Amino acid sequence: MQGLTIAAASVADTDVLYRLLQLYYFEASAWSGEAIAADGTYDCARADVDASLRSDPNWARLLWLDGALCGFVLVDEVEVQGSRIPELADLFVLPTHRGKGIAREVVARLVVPGSGRWLLATFRNDTVAHAFWCRNLPKMGLTIEVPASADNPDFHTFLISAA
């Protein structure tokens, strides 16, 4: 996809990422039931975003399409079946940029041959995200495993890798 840039977020991007996370949590509140705090924010402290960016420079990436901020992806490391693997923890594309192939392109650029298995999980209540990945992962040429037993019943999980 031409025009898409995936740029590592730095401490200087703390406020931008914090605001994007607030949009993400706002949208998720429709199915998560998460309540807004008395200060008008969702369960994401700016200080925690700053600390995460300082402790793990590879944790967050900002997504830009033709120079316009269009979302973010967070990558965590998790233990699955006795191994530490990367997880596409949160992938958020702003509503005005959806339907352009951005999420698929992000996964295609991160999950490359030699990068091993990745965990991609969707909340069980997020039926839109789950349907999106069920529809799109098979079209992407990735190896897809659905673990027989989920560690967390709140999620649908996929183990994906590039051949």
Side-chain angles (χ1 to χ4, degrees):
M1 163 181 277
Q2 289 190 351
L4 180 65
T5 302
I6 304 172
S10 70
V11 174
D13 299 311
T14 297
D15 288 329
V16 170
L17 184 57
Y18 173 72
R19 287 190 288 273
L20 285 171
L21 282 161
Q22 289 300 306
L23 294 171
Y24 171 72
Y25 288 124
F26 166 74
E27 183 173 87
S29 71
W31 50 260
S32 72
E34 183 175 339
I36 195 164
D39 68 355
T41 63
Y42 288 91
D43 185 26
C44 172
R46 185 196 177 283
D48 292 341
V49 174
D50 182 79
S52 293
L53 289 170
R54 289 180 190 281
S55 69
D56 185 357
N58 295 314
W59 171 62
R61 293 153 176 104
L62 297 176
L63 309 178
W64 302 84
L65 184 61
D66 298 325
L69 183 62
C70 65
F72 68 86
V73 61
L74 304 180
V75 177
D76 288 331
E77 187 175 288
V78 295
E79 185 167 326
V80 174
Q81 300 173 341
S83 298
R84 303 287 301 169
I85 65 171
E87 175 190 16
L88 292 159
D90 296 292
L91 174 53
F92 177 69
V93 176
L94 290 165
T96 55
H97 291 283
R98 292 183 186 160
K100 299 177 181 178
I102 293 169
R104 283 181 54 159
E105 182 67 17
V106 169
V107 171
R109 289 194 194 177
L110 294 177
V111 182
V112 295
S115 67
R117 294 188 315 164
W118 288 66
L119 177 67
L120 188 150
T122 62
F123 283 96
R124 287 202 182 274
N125 291 342
D126 188 353
T127 57
V128 173
H130 183 67
F132 174 85
W133 290 117
C134 284
R135 189 173 59 252
N136 283 283
L137 285 174
K139 298 175 187 175
M140 295 177 66
L142 300 172
T143 300
I144 306 161
E145 302 171 55
V146 178
S149 129
D151 292 336
N152 189 327
D154 294 333
F155 293 93
H156 292 286
T157 58
F158 304 94
L159 294 171
I160 58 175
S161 59

